[in-house]
Amino acid sequence: MTKAKIKKDHLKLIFDRLKTSHRIIGPKVEGNVIVLAEIADLRDIPAGCKEQQGRGTYRLGKNSSQLSVASSQIFSFSVGPDSFKRFMSPPVRENFAFKKSKKGISISQNSSQVREISTAFIGMRACDIAALRLLDKVFLEGPVKDAGYDSLRRNSLIVGINCLYPGDNCFCSSMDTGPVIRDGFDMAVTELDDSFLLEIGTVRGREILNGLPIDEVSDKDLSEKVSKIEKCKKMIKKSIKVSELPWLIYRNLEHPRWADVAGRCLACGNCTQVCPTCFCNSSYDNLQLSGISKKLPELSGARIRTWDSCFSTNFARVHGGNFRPSRRARYRQWMSHKLAYWIDQFGSPGCVGCGRCITWCPVGIDITQELEALHAR
Amino acid sequence: MKRPRIGVFKFTSCDGCQLTILNMEDEILDILELFDIAYFREATDKPLRGQFDISIVEGSISTDWQKEDIVDIRERSRHLITIGACATSGGLQALRNWASLSSYKKHVYPSPDMITALSTSTPISDHVYVDYELWGCPINKDALSETLISFLIGKRPGIPRYSLCMECKRHGIPCILVSNGEPCLGPITKAGCGALCTSFERPCYGCFGPKDDANIESLMRYFHNLGLTQKDCISLLDKMNSYAYRKVRIEGSK
Ligand code: SF4
Ligand code: SF4
Ligand code: SF4
Ligand code: SF4
């Protein structure tokens, strides 16, 4: 069995089944925004909500009928500011605790940090899954494996949702990462008019359905999926010409547009924090006064890793200062890494086209426009 | 180890930052064990005497005699650290830097003639060399203990210089500027408060002062597009760090 169908109100059965063995992370409304958080009840999912996203704006609409979404639709909304990076590579993480004395340094791993409890991520979009596969390259396929990421990743179950209503800033179709989920899932869900089409990617994905009332999938269901996804693709407004990468950037490293964007960019780092593939972090030693003995050098503390950003002036600071002192240099570094150096480094662009950086930039800087502007002489 | 001698000094300020030291209930015994608090008028009546390894200075310079006192303190100090918006950027009282002193005096005091003050309120760093600044109104106590620890073990304090937005995002706080059009100063303000206001859905009003390389003009242009007048924009900046924000804004537009 690789495909199955369930009735719309049987989604609860899957949810309840998952809940017995998993912590469930999924979309939920907080403030006026759909975030990702632990969800206790299927009703936490903002069924029928649709947001309007613009450059630097996000407005959540609670009434689907005003927002041209089919009224029975549950997964009508698109991605919010959070990506699954928040859970796989958490914003603040203790790497180890240490104790230093005259005899030397002893190091201990805080075992509660390494979560062994399985987590089910529900509602992951094609772009999110593509982003996770990029993070795998960074954290798992280099010379050293990131142990924390590895254990979180191995204990995760991915229930993806095929997008039928893209966000206003989405451009996955041009990055070839969405809107349809092709791989990297345990289960992929498509919301049809009166049922859910389930595609099974792994044994674990199949096990979820054991004993649940499922129906056969017909050719009509499959063609409904295809036509719905085609409709979604047509609604995607933005794009990047990947065929021009990386050279459009390499040929224009001194383009006047970089100074122009530096005039608008706040170097606030929001774009990097919401980006599902930005992986940069910094480590520091957290010491408490109580951990310091009068008999120096005896001290104890913990090495903490936090998200950081190439927009912070301290991030690329080496002896003598930051070698990218201007906002112009730092914006150029960010975009060039995403759309050019990544290709050399990891074999594909580092952008999956989710549009988060466009929506959550306080001054609405749009990566697709900034790239396009490099064409102008 | 001989305990380093600390002096805590106050200029024009509300004492809130010194109170932060007294409020470090969990750490105060450790501080007393590791340091010799040799001068701290808010807590002890020890007289001012001798040299200090670390001087912690609160408050801005707003009278003639303070200009002399701060030079004396600098000469007694191996390291001088300023704490709080008053000491690092002139404080709320620096609003008079953009107005006339006599009109302020008339409005505030029944007998304005009795007040001797400079026509400006300025940060300590405008007068003497400052080794390290802790911004905030009031400062964050963890930043102070980090600074004291750094002094003891000879490292650079790990105090953020990036934007408050970074802290907001780490905490997973939904952005009220983007989702609600609130004029939040987070993108141009230093992190360090723990995203206190934004976690209560209040826009940041900048008590940690301008972050490194703050692009104030761009954010003000954006607020203007949201419908704020130029005057509204300036009054957003004109709080306890008015002097610093205005200075950075002018320097940034050069
Ligand atoms: S660069 Fe922007 S659009 Fe691309 S993956 Fe990151 S947040 Fe999404
Ligand atoms: S970028 Fe594509 S896959 Fe991602 S949310 Fe938008 S439409 Fe869905
Ligand atoms: S591009 Fe936007 S979000 Fe990114 S650092 Fe600049 S102003 Fe902030
Ligand atoms: S709420 Fe304010 S501080 Fe937080 S991310 Fe938004 S603009 Fe930045």
Side-chain angles (χ1 to χ4, degrees), chain A residues 171 271 275-277 334 338 350-357 367:
Chain A
F171 55 100
C271 47
C275 177
T277 68
W334 177 67
K338 289 268 108 126
C351 169
V352 296
C354 70
R356 286 183 175 93
C357 57
I367 188 171

Side-chain angles (χ1 to χ4, degrees), chain A residues 59 86 264 268 307 313 330, chain B residues 163 169-170 212-213 218:
Chain A
R59 294 291 181 276
R86 176 171 296 285
R264 287 171 280 136
C268 62
W307 287 356
T313 48
R330 275 175 281 137
Chain B
S163 73
K169 287 289 181 290
R170 272 179 209 163
D212 267 5
D213 196 15
S218 172

Side-chain angles (χ1 to χ4, degrees), chain A residues 91 94 111 210 280 368:
Chain A
E94 181 181 314
S111 54
N210 280 349
C280 286
T368 65

Side-chain angles (χ1 to χ4, degrees), chain A residues 78-79 125-127 163 166-167 170-172 178-179 236 353-354:
Chain A
S78 182
V79 291
R125 309 298 168 142
C127 59
C163 285
C170 293
F171 55 100
C172 59
I236 292 178
C354 70

Side-chain angles (χ1 to χ4, degrees), chain A residues 191-336:
Chain A
E191 187 168 4
L192 303 179
D193 286 342
D194 46 20
S195 58
F196 285 107
L197 172 67
L198 310 176
E199 286 161 273
I200 309 299
T202 61
V203 175
R204 294 206 298 161
R206 182 178 327 153
E207 280 166 4
I208 307 168
L209 294 179
N210 280 349
L212 296 186
I214 52 173
D215 298 324
E216 289 280 314
V217 175
S218 68
D219 286 347
K220 192 177 144 283
D221 299 327
L222 292 177
S223 61
E224 189 183 343
K225 171 191 165 187
V226 172
S227 79
K228 282 196 151 47
I229 285 178
E230 283 311 310
K231 227 167 107 192
C232 171
K233 276 191 194 158
K234 290 212 182 77
M235 287 191 268
I236 292 178
K237 297 175 211 149
K238 295 199 158 132
S239 65
I240 273 182
K241 288 196 203 73
V242 179
S243 58
E244 294 175 344
L245 302 176
W247 291 103
L248 179 58
I249 290 180
Y250 287 156
R251 278 199 215 101
N252 286 298
L253 290 175
E254 299 303 328
H255 197 283
R257 184 69 177 196
W258 301 117
D260 181 90
V261 68
R264 287 171 280 136
C265 175
L266 307 166
C268 62
N270 275 304
C271 47
T272 56
Q273 306 302 283
V274 296
C275 177
T277 68
C278 273
F279 55 83
C280 286
N281 55 69
S282 290
S283 293
Y284 69 95
D285 290 341
N286 181 26
L287 301 163
Q288 304 292 332
L289 283 160
S290 57
I292 306 217
S293 143
K294 258 178 96 174
K295 298 192 293 293
L296 280 171
E298 264 178 40
L299 53 90
S300 58
R303 169 100 12 123
I304 309 289
R305 176 171 121 172
T306 60
W307 287 356
D308 205 337
S309 164
C310 49
F311 284 97
S312 316
T313 48
N314 257 356
F315 181 64
R317 187 192 178 106
V318 290
H319 178 77
N322 186 328
F323 43 83
R324 293 190 280 266
S326 64
R327 280 194 302 278
R328 173 184 177 274
R330 275 175 281 137
Y331 185 87
R332 186 178 63 182
Q333 155 63 25
W334 177 67
M335 194 169 119
S336 309

Side-chain angles (χ1 to χ4, degrees), chain A residues 268 270 362, chain B residues 163-166 168-169 173-178 182 184-187 195 198 202-204:
Chain A
C268 62
N270 275 304
Chain B
S163 73
L164 175 63
C165 300
M166 299 272 290
C168 241
K169 287 289 181 290
I173 299 169
C175 176
I176 50 177
L177 194 165
V178 169
E182 304 258 8
C184 181
L185 293 186
T198 53
R202 298 279 186 110
C204 164

Side-chain angles (χ1 to χ4, degrees), chain A residues 44-63:
Chain A
D44 286 345
I45 293 179
C49 283
K50 183 66 191 156
E51 78 292 336
Q52 285 177 318
Q53 303 193 32
R55 297 187 183 104
T57 65
Y58 179 102
R59 294 291 181 276
L60 190 60
K62 304 258 161 64
N63 185 347

